[in-house]
Amino acid sequence: MTTSSSERGVSLGMPELPAPAYPDDVRARLETDAREVIARYPDSRSALLPLLHLVQSEEGHVTRTGMRFCADILGLTTAEVTAVATFYTMYRRRPSGDYQVGVCTNTLCAVMGGDAIFEELQEHLGVGNGETTDDGKVTLEHIECNAACDFAPVMMVNWEFFDNQTPGSAKRLVDDLRAGRPVTPTRGAPLCTFKETARVLAGFPDERDGAVESGGSAGHASLVGLKLAKGEAAPARVVHPRGEAARTEAPHDPSPTEHLSSHDAPQDTSASDPAHPAGPAAEEGE
């Protein structure tokens, strides 16, 4: 005896209708911008990534209408556009906040406090991963490595760096964003909304006063090794082996090359805590 799909609790439903088109005035404006982007590439298909940023700057996420627009203007299928838009996490597939707050929870940031920051922000904001606050201001997410391990734990807001964070500083940051108070990244350009960021990523100039000039480079902690190699900084402290030298060394104030982060404080390790030495408890084979 066979059962129907309805009896099995399976609903095939109706095929999804084609995405609606942009209003004529919006489409005309986006087409002008899109033509400028496409002209930068020898093959129009190569413009798909910046065009997805362009349509994201219009509505704050990549809609079906935005993907249809990209497909039409590039001569692609919507399936081809969808395959790209769903592959990269930088493209949002549902409405999101004015500020994308990402907490790095990759290995180093996690052990330095990123996991604790993310957990406390979820409770503080009342949202889960990828969710947006009721006021539409903040979307919270955990993110992968942002190549800023020297400043762990790191947060990013609309892809601008906020270094050496703590649960307390992270909560103050999101509270300021929601209240509309000025927020200054640790490095890089001044903060702007996610839609404005998307337009810049599409390849259009950031016309805010001083935004380009303030675009940051690598931070001090990231450049210490290069400066040492060039002889531009004092040698970093060398940790002594376990023994009298480590225990009797006179205390001193660290130089900038010794403690580069607010979290890089002396810890109770085997070198500093003789009562708990490292190493195997027994010889091999015992």
Side-chain angles (χ1 to χ4, degrees), residues 172-213:
R172 288 192 297 273
L173 171 59
V174 296
D175 286 346
D176 287 344
L177 292 173
R178 299 182 72 183
R181 290 188 284 268
V183 171
T184 303
T186 309
R187 295 172 282 136
L191 199 61
C192 59
T193 67
F194 184 64
K195 288 183 180 181
E196 292 171 323
T197 300
R199 184 169 177 82
V200 172
L201 291 175
F204 294 94
D206 189 339
E207 297 178 350
R208 295 175 297 154
D209 290 340
V212 175
E213 292 78 7

Side-chain angles (χ1 to χ4, degrees), residues 21-88:
Y22 284 121
D24 291 343
D25 59 329
V26 174
R27 183 178 177 90
R29 173 166 48 79
L30 289 176
E31 280 190 2
T32 300
D33 288 340
R35 297 298 179 194
E36 181 179 337
V37 172
I38 294 170
R40 301 170 187 159
Y41 298 90
D43 183 349
S44 63
R45 186 188 184 106
S46 300
L48 178 55
L49 294 180
L51 286 190
L52 286 170
H53 283 299
L54 176 64
V55 297
Q56 184 160 251
S57 73
E58 184 66 29
E59 299 175 88
H61 66 294
V62 178
T63 63
R64 293 175 58 237
T65 297
M67 289 189 284
R68 173 183 169 182
F69 171 82
C70 292
D72 289 346
I73 202 164
L74 294 175
L76 302 173
T77 66
T78 53
E80 289 173 312
V81 175
T82 302
V84 174
T86 57
F87 181 82
Y88 293 103

Side-chain angles (χ1 to χ4, degrees), residues 11-18 64:
S11 177
L12 299 179
M14 293 293 293
E16 190 173 37
L17 296 174
R64 293 175 58 237

